[in-house]
Structures are given as structure tokens and as C-alpha cells.
Amino acid sequence: MTADDTGTAPPSRIPWPPLLLVGAIGGGALVESLLPGPASWPDWARTIGVLLIVLAFSVDVWCVRLMWGRGTTVRPDRAVSSLVTDGPFRFSRNPIYVGNVALVAGLGLACAAPTLLLLAPVMAIALAKLAIEPEERHLARRFDRDYDAYVARTRRWL
């Protein structure tokens, strides 16, 4: 039996989520610096953006604390040691990734950067393919029926 069969191998050798987050924010900022931005941006959009940013950071901190409290890794390029299903994980199997997408969208709204708004759904698709699908296979191997039960009651995103 190999490490991959038992779920002790990492889901990926590449930490895609932080790379995608930095790439989306950096790429969006670069495009915004090269193209003229909107002449005006409504105050309500900026307010919603700031609220999204605060909510995204809050959810991320909550998730990290839960995962560390269970003695498991937060790193997407490491094998997990326990299945966390409480806190934000009750509502989404991927609350950190929901937070990452919300952060990009929130920055787009708060900074009047339409490119970031457009990159948020692109980032969600890339996260699904590069991070979530491999992580789901890893968790299914590692936690078998417990993970199947979790999948049956909890959505992937929201």
C-alpha cells in the first residue's frame, strides 16, 4: 500500500491557493495600473468591498485557528491529519477558498478595480480544478466514510 492509497501523501506538491491568490491580486493590480480606471465608483460598492475583505479575513482566521486546534495543517501542499467539520466548515467544505475569492472581489470593489472583480470567478474555477478536486480525492482516501458523510451534508462552496 502506498502513501497515496492511505491518504498520507499530500493532495498536491504545489501550493496552488496562495499562488492563485497572489497571482489574481498582482495580475489585477498590474492590469489596473496599465488601463484607465472608471471615472466614478459608487460609495456603496466600496463599502461592500471593505465588508467583504473584513469578512474574508475573519473567516480565514477562524478556519486556521480551528485547523491548528485539531492539529492539522493549513498548507494545501501537505497531507491533513484530521477532518475539520465544524465552524465555517459546517456551511462550506472550502471556506478558506470562499474567503480567498471574496477577498479578490472585495478588493475589486473597494479599490474600484473591475479587473479584480473579473478575476474572482476565474480564480474560483482555477481553485476548483487545481486545489479542491485534488484535496477532495485526498480527503476521501484519508477519511473514507466520514468524508463521504461530510460531503453528503455540506456544499463545496456555499
Side-chain angles (χ1 to χ4, degrees), residues 47-61 99 102-103 106-107:
T47 301
I48 290 172
V50 169
L51 291 174
L52 275 174
I53 292 166
V54 170
L55 183 62
F57 275 121
S58 299
V59 167
D60 282 354
V61 168
L103 176 63
L107 285 169

Side-chain angles (χ1 to χ4, degrees), residues 50-129:
V50 169
L51 291 174
L52 275 174
I53 292 166
V54 170
L55 183 62
F57 275 121
S58 299
V59 167
D60 282 354
V61 168
W62 188 7
C63 290
V64 167
R65 293 187 70 188
L66 280 171
M67 293 174 79
W68 284 350
R70 300 298 186 306
T72 195
T73 185
V74 177
R75 290 188 51 174
D77 59 336
R78 299 284 191 258
V80 298
S81 58
S82 66
L83 181 64
V84 180
T85 61
D86 56 335
F89 293 94
R90 287 177 303 189
F91 308 106
S92 169
R93 295 193 313 261
N94 300 287
I96 293 174
Y97 301 154
V98 171
N100 289 348
V101 172
L103 176 63
V104 172
L107 285 169
L109 289 169
C111 300
T115 304
L116 285 171
L117 284 174
L118 294 172
L119 285 174
V122 172
M123 184 175 156
I125 292 166
L127 280 169
K129 292 296 175 192

Side-chain angles (χ1 to χ4, degrees), residues 3-4 8-17 19 75-79 130 134:
D4 196 40
T8 56
S12 174
R13 299 272 181 218
I14 301 169
W16 287 112
L19 295 174
R75 290 188 51 174
D77 59 336
R78 299 284 191 258
L130 296 171

Side-chain angles (χ1 to χ4, degrees), residues 121-144:
V122 172
M123 184 175 156
I125 292 166
L127 280 169
K129 292 296 175 192
L130 296 171
I132 293 171
E133 290 175 7
E135 286 176 13
E136 288 178 340
R137 289 189 294 273
H138 167 72
L139 292 168
R141 284 188 301 270
R142 181 92 168 118
F143 302 106
D144 197 25

